[in-house]
């Protein structure tokens, strides 16, 4: 259990879509349970002055002072990971251990994992996440349809439910209150499951009060297959709704080709979308119109969908979410753009095509607060506010100063990556540089619920 600590520095988070909140010269007190208990000003002329102010206010033996020399960026992420391999326990332990360490190094404090159909390896993943301190939603993939390979599918409905219950039971035994690890019901996608399995999984989720994750509308051939297998249902979304899997606790990966009626249904049921831009472009699946989803009032977060995507970094996903939105803006029909009335925003008049673009602040929101909402964690993580849990990463970017152009890159010293600051810059510009150019080299420390879970040495 971590000791109570006071963190001093600049803290940044996105309170709502498109907004950036910067807390400069603040001291944040985090108790032994990893919960923020106070936020106070500690402005001083020097860093030592700020530390002295905090020490004077909080002279308590059981509180330790931790200095921050950079930015602490809040994290409340949802990261969807698809494991496309199946393996025995000893291999699973090695692979999952590296996978979890890698996501932590990128600043992912919370992940939603699609594991495999195997109980042993899925339980190992849950164990590793608990050991390493990553908050995780662990799902054993359920899939009994004969469209799946014979060597990689459940033997039937009863076997699938029994194996899922075994994983749920194991997670309950290692983390009874789901402080870090939560089981999540995981039908791989509609076509991979028989109707009886879909309804049985919905019943289990309702009975055990568990969230649900699955895929939807990732590509056109998948949609056609679902329509072929479920001809009585109006759409892909209606299949999940009919069998009781479309709930306020459901996270749907992708959602590229949702119709207007599907978006309305998803909004009505309170389900969420995990946008996976890196995977979608890598597999040529399509371009998800995130702005349309947001306009319909649907909560959206980000996912990596590795190994469909090439990176396990949510920061990369945030960057690519912006790029996908810009491509959608470029593809907006010229005739429609000519006839569109301009949309009045707070700062300027923009066309409907340009409105499809996501700003860096919006992409960061999707990666943090949006992800937290998708997983029902918005009251726990996703902001630097009193009562929230201390999930954060410390971001450090090299300040090369105004003379930086004359400095040769000799490859010596610590490498802080491609993002650079050139003297004083506004906070939104600094954040934009990090979103566009940053990587794990800028993430020097990562905390989950007050515990230091990664440190770049």
């Amino acid at each position: 259990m971590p000791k109570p600590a006071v963190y001093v520095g600049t803290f940044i988070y996105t309170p709502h879509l498109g907004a950036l909140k910067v807390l400069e010269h603040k001291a944040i007190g985090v108790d032994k349970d990893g919960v923020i208990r106070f936020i106070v000003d500690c402005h001083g002329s020097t860093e030592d002055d700020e530390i002295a102010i905090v020490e004077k206010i909080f002279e308590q033996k059981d509180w330790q002072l931790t200095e921050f020399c950079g930015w602490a960026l809040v994290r409340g992420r949802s990261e969807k990971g698809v494991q496309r391999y199946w393996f025995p326990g000893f291999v699973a332990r090695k692979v999952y251990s590296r996978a979890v360490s890698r996501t932590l190094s990128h600043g992912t404090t919370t992940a939603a994992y699609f594991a495999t159909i195997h109980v042993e390896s899925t339980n190992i993943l849950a164990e590793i996440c608990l050991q390493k301190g990553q908050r995780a939603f662990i799902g054993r993939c359920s899939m009994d349809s004969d469209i799946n390979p014979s060597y990689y599918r459940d033997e039937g409905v009863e076997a699938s439910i029994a194996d899922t219950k075994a994983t749920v039971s194991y997670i309950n035994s290692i983390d009874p209150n789901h402080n870090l690890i939560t089981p999540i019901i995981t039908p791989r996608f509609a076509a991979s499951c028989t109707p009886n399995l879909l309804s049985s999984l919905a019943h289990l989720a309702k009975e055990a009060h568990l969230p649900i994750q699955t895929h939807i509308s990732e590509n056109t051939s998948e949609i056609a297959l679902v329509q072929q297998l479920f001809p009585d249902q109006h759409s892909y979304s209606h299949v999940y709704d009919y069998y009781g899997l479309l709930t306020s606790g459901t996270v749907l990966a992708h959602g590229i080709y949702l119709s207007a009626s599907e978006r309305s249904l998803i909004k009505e049921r309170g389900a969420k979308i995990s946008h996976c831009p890196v995977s979608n472009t890598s597999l040529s699946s399509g371009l998800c119109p995130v702005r349309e989803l947001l306009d319909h009032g649907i909560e959206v977060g980000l996912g990596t969908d590795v190994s469909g995507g090439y990176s396990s970094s949510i920061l990369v996903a945030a960057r690519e979410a912006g790029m996908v939105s810009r491509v959608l803006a470029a593809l907006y029909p010229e005739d429609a753009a000519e006839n569109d009335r301009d949309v009045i925003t707070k700062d300027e008049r923009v066309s409907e095509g340009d409105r499809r673009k996501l700003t860096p602040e919006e992409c960061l929101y999707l990666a943090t607060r949006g992800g937290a909402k998708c997983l029902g964690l918005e009251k726990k993580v996703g902001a630097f506010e009193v009562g929230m849990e201390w999930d954060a990463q410390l971001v450090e970017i090299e300040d090369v100063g105004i003379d930086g152009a004359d400095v040769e890159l000799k490859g010596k010293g610590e490498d802080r990556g491609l993002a650079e600051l050139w003297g004083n810059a506004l906070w939104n510009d600094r954040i934009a540089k990090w979103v566009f150019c940053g990587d794990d080299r800028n993430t020097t420390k990562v905390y989950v619920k007050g515990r230091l879970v990664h440190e770049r040495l």
Side-chain angles (χ1 to χ4, degrees):
M1 180 176 293
K3 295 180 179 179
V6 179
Y7 300 94
V8 178
T10 298
F11 306 86
I12 304 170
Y13 68 99
T14 53
H16 53 82
L17 186 67
L20 199 66
K21 187 161 186 177
V22 180
L23 306 177
E24 289 190 88
H25 305 291
K26 300 294 184 183
I28 295 184
V30 180
D31 67 16
K32 61 182 178 61
D33 296 318
V35 177
I36 297 173
R37 289 307 176 194
F38 59 79
I39 302 175
V40 298
D41 289 311
C42 62
H43 191 280
S45 57
T46 67
E47 199 170 272
D48 288 340
D49 288 342
E50 294 182 354
I51 294 172
I53 292 172
V54 176
E55 288 178 331
K56 184 176 180 180
I57 298 175
F58 305 104
E59 293 177 348
Q60 301 178 18
K61 291 183 180 180
D62 58 344
W63 287 77
Q64 64 181 14
L65 182 65
T66 300
E67 294 182 53
F68 271 174
C69 56
W71 319 336
L73 193 71
V74 72
R75 280 289 170 255
R77 308 177 178 226
S78 68
E79 174 160 336
K80 189 178 79 68
V82 179
Q83 293 296 330
R84 300 187 183 277
Y85 307 98
W86 59 281
F87 30 72
F90 74 93
V91 179
R93 189 170 298 279
K94 290 183 179 180
V95 173
Y96 280 143
S97 182
R98 288 184 63 85
V100 174
S101 293
R102 180 72 67 184
T103 56
L104 285 172
S105 74
H106 285 294
T108 298
T109 65
T110 302
Y113 289 105
F114 283 63
T116 71
I117 65 173
H118 307 94
V119 174
E120 180 186 9
S121 61
T122 302
N123 290 352
I124 287 173
L125 174 58
E127 179 186 321
I128 289 171
C129 289
L130 184 62
Q131 177 188 358
K132 291 183 177 291
Q134 186 178 62
R135 185 184 291 98
F137 291 74
I138 306 293
R140 187 202 78 88
C141 281
S142 298
M143 39 197 287
D144 69 334
S145 169
D146 58 11
I147 73 162
N148 304 300
S150 59
Y151 57 84
Y152 193 59
R153 67 177 180 228
D154 295 324
E155 294 181 1
V157 176
E158 291 184 3
S160 182
I161 295 299
D163 284 350
T164 298
K165 286 183 175 180
T167 291
V168 171
S169 178
Y170 179 76
I171 292 174
N172 290 342
S173 71
I174 63 174
D175 191 358
N177 296 319
H178 300 165
N179 291 322
L180 277 183
I181 313 302
T182 302
I184 185 167
I185 301 302
T186 308
R188 185 182 175 192
F189 73 113
S192 68
C193 302
T194 60
N196 285 341
L197 180 56
L198 291 174
S199 59
S200 296
L201 289 170
H203 176 75
L204 177 58
K206 184 176 181 179
E207 180 183 57
H209 305 287
L210 294 175
I212 299 164
Q213 63 178 357
T214 189
H215 297 76
I216 193 169
S217 297
E218 181 176 1
N219 57 68
T220 54
S221 59
E222 166 205 8
I223 296 170
L225 176 61
V226 171
Q227 184 61 48
Q228 176 186 337
L229 294 174
F230 301 91
D232 294 335
Q233 298 305 318
H234 178 65
S235 71
Y236 202 152
S237 300
H238 285 82
V239 172
Y240 288 134
D241 189 52
Y242 180 81
Y243 291 103
L245 290 166
L246 201 63
T247 74
S248 59
T250 300
V251 181
L252 302 164
H254 306 297
I256 299 174
Y257 299 102
L258 297 171
S259 66
S261 64
E262 287 183 281
R263 292 194 294 268
S264 296
L265 178 62
I266 290 170
K267 164 62 177 176
E268 182 180 345
R269 297 293 184 262
K272 285 79 174 179
I273 298 292
S274 176
H275 175 38
C276 306
V278 181
S279 169
N280 296 161
T281 53
S282 295
L283 299 177
S284 301
S285 299
L287 304 170
C288 182
V290 171
R291 183 69 68 194
E292 291 183 12
L293 299 177
L294 295 172
D295 286 347
H296 272 77
I298 298 172
E299 299 291 351
V300 180
L302 294 179
T304 58
D305 195 29
V306 291
S307 59
Y310 58 78
S311 174
S312 58
S313 167
I314 282 286
L315 182 60
V316 171
R319 182 180 306 144
E320 292 304 309
M323 295 300 101
V324 166
S325 73
R326 288 170 179 270
V327 172
L328 284 167
L331 293 175
Y332 195 71
E334 291 186 7
D335 56 345
E338 292 176 357
N339 295 325
D340 272 344
R341 292 181 300 172
D342 288 345
V343 178
I344 305 297
T345 67
K346 180 180 179 181
D347 301 314
E348 59 183 357
R349 184 184 298 267
V350 298
S351 69
E352 183 62 30
D354 280 343
R355 207 177 68 83
R356 292 184 169 202
K357 298 177 185 177
L358 298 174
T359 66
E361 292 85 356
E362 289 176 319
C363 293
L364 188 59
Y365 172 89
L366 298 180
T368 56
R369 193 93 168 180
K373 287 185 175 181
C374 283
L375 295 171
L377 297 174
E378 65 272 21
K379 294 182 179 180
K380 288 187 175 183
V381 296
F384 290 121
E385 297 173 358
V386 173
M388 303 288 274
E389 294 181 1
W390 180 252
D391 276 28
Q393 67 168 293
L394 175 60
V395 176
E396 295 188 9
I397 296 180
E398 183 180 5
D399 188 345
V400 299
I402 58 174
D403 297 326
D406 297 327
V407 178
E408 294 184 7
L409 297 177
K410 298 181 180 180
K412 295 182 180 180
E414 190 169 5
D415 182 7
R416 286 289 182 222
L418 299 176
E420 295 177 339
L421 298 178
W422 298 71
N424 292 331
L426 298 175
W427 278 108
N428 60 333
D429 292 331
R430 300 185 197 188
I431 286 296
K433 277 199 171 187
W434 177 66
V435 170
F436 282 116
C437 302
D439 56 36
D440 60 318
R441 288 171 291 184
N442 303 117
T443 300
T444 58
K445 292 183 180 180
V446 179
Y447 293 83
V448 177
K449 205 175 181 181
R451 173 184 168 185
L452 179 63
V453 294
H454 170 76
E455 184 172 13
R456 184 176 176 85
L457 301 175

